Amino acid sequence: MAIHDLSRWRHEHAYDAGNRAAEQRTWIVVAITAATMVAEIVAGYLTGSMALTADGWHMATHVVALSIAGAAYYLARRWARDERYTFGTWKIEVLGAFASALLLGVVAIAMAIESVHRLVTPSPIHFEAALLVAVLGLVVNLASAWVLETPGPRGHDHHGHDHDHGHEHSHSHGHDLNLRSAYVHVLADAFTSVLAIVALAAGLWGGWAWVDPAMGLVGGGIIAWWAKGLLADSARVLLDREMDAPVVRQIQEAIQSDGDAEIADLHVWRVGRASHAAVITVVAHNPLTPAAYRERLKAIASLVHVSVEVNRCPHGDCP
């Protein structure tokens, strides 16, 4: 039995309008980034500028990561009504976020290795061309961040109950890990562009060439920290680590509100950005029907599927 009809919920909420808007914005950013990547690689080849060429290939990694996010949205939408997915296809988006975070971590490690190499073995830097590339990259990434940040139309109300997710980040993309992964990639690129501008300006006008690889180390470390956070958040969802979520406490308080019922076993997992399923075993001296206990949970809006088993306390004692 369920609080809401599960099959109807799956069809109505598996892929809402907000997701479709996020998918469209992600592909726009992919197009912007890919166009800039091609322009930088071609310009680098024509001018012989290694700075342009290197930044173009660096942007290629972000095109791949952003494409993963876009593909995750597409697959989640394509298979949204496939009955083989018991609780819908939302976790495809989370899997995309996890893969994207792994790639972000690889980029951070590559930045650190290259920076150490350049500190040990300095190489000539074409400061003017590299500075132009950094400014261009910053403009592109600020535009991309604006596209991703622009809110789309909201979907059904099951995706808007923030009160059950106090363990999430307060960031506006906290509930959409896939969109957050795309946003973090864009922010990482923008951040490295700012660091590059500072470092290249120091080298061009101050003669401090060492600042460039030093800033690379700083940027790599911060990007690795962002990747770690995104990996942890997406892994928590993929591994169903939800028993520290506020909704668990709400379930316990609602079921045990009469002082008689006790929860002997409880399993809660996420089936959407703000939607949970739960399996509950209740024991009581004077047990009620499963429907009566489910009625107590109706105020918890994020619960879309609940199974309740009721048992009488053995030998008159409850756990």
Short mmCIF file of all heavy atoms in Angstrom, two decimals, residues 38 119 233 285 306 309:
data_model
loop_
_atom_site.label_atom_id
_atom_site.label_comp_id
_atom_site.label_asym_id
_atom_site.label_seq_id
_atom_site.Cartn_x
_atom_site.Cartn_y
_atom_site.Cartn_z
N VAL A 38 36.78 24.84 -30.30
CA VAL A 38 37.21 24.73 -31.70
C VAL A 38 37.94 26.00 -32.14
O VAL A 38 39.00 25.94 -32.80
CB VAL A 38 36.00 24.46 -32.61
CG1 VAL A 38 36.41 24.55 -34.08
CG2 VAL A 38 35.42 23.08 -32.31
N LEU A 119 57.00 24.37 -12.35
CA LEU A 119 57.80 24.98 -11.29
C LEU A 119 59.22 24.43 -11.30
O LEU A 119 60.19 25.17 -11.10
CB LEU A 119 57.15 24.71 -9.93
CG LEU A 119 56.00 25.63 -9.51
CD1 LEU A 119 55.33 25.09 -8.25
CD2 LEU A 119 56.48 27.06 -9.29
N ASP A 233 28.29 13.84 -2.38
CA ASP A 233 26.84 14.04 -2.44
C ASP A 233 26.18 13.05 -3.39
O ASP A 233 25.12 12.48 -3.09
CB ASP A 233 26.52 15.47 -2.87
CG ASP A 233 26.80 16.47 -1.76
OD1 ASP A 233 26.98 16.05 -0.61
OD2 ASP A 233 26.85 17.68 -2.04
N HIS A 285 1.68 -2.42 21.72
CA HIS A 285 0.86 -3.22 22.63
C HIS A 285 -0.56 -3.34 22.08
O HIS A 285 -1.18 -4.40 22.17
CB HIS A 285 0.82 -2.57 24.02
CG HIS A 285 2.13 -2.62 24.74
ND1 HIS A 285 3.02 -1.57 24.75
CD2 HIS A 285 2.69 -3.61 25.48
CE1 HIS A 285 4.08 -1.89 25.47
NE2 HIS A 285 3.92 -3.13 25.93
N VAL A 306 5.07 4.26 0.69
CA VAL A 306 5.32 3.78 2.04
C VAL A 306 4.71 2.39 2.20
O VAL A 306 3.55 2.18 1.87
CB VAL A 306 4.72 4.74 3.10
CG1 VAL A 306 4.89 4.15 4.50
CG2 VAL A 306 5.37 6.10 3.02
N GLU A 309 4.42 -2.56 7.95
CA GLU A 309 4.12 -3.86 8.56
C GLU A 309 3.87 -3.63 10.04
O GLU A 309 4.64 -2.92 10.70
CB GLU A 309 5.29 -4.83 8.36
CG GLU A 309 5.08 -6.18 9.03
CD GLU A 309 6.31 -7.07 8.95
OE1 GLU A 309 7.25 -6.70 8.23
OE2 GLU A 309 6.33 -8.11 9.63
#
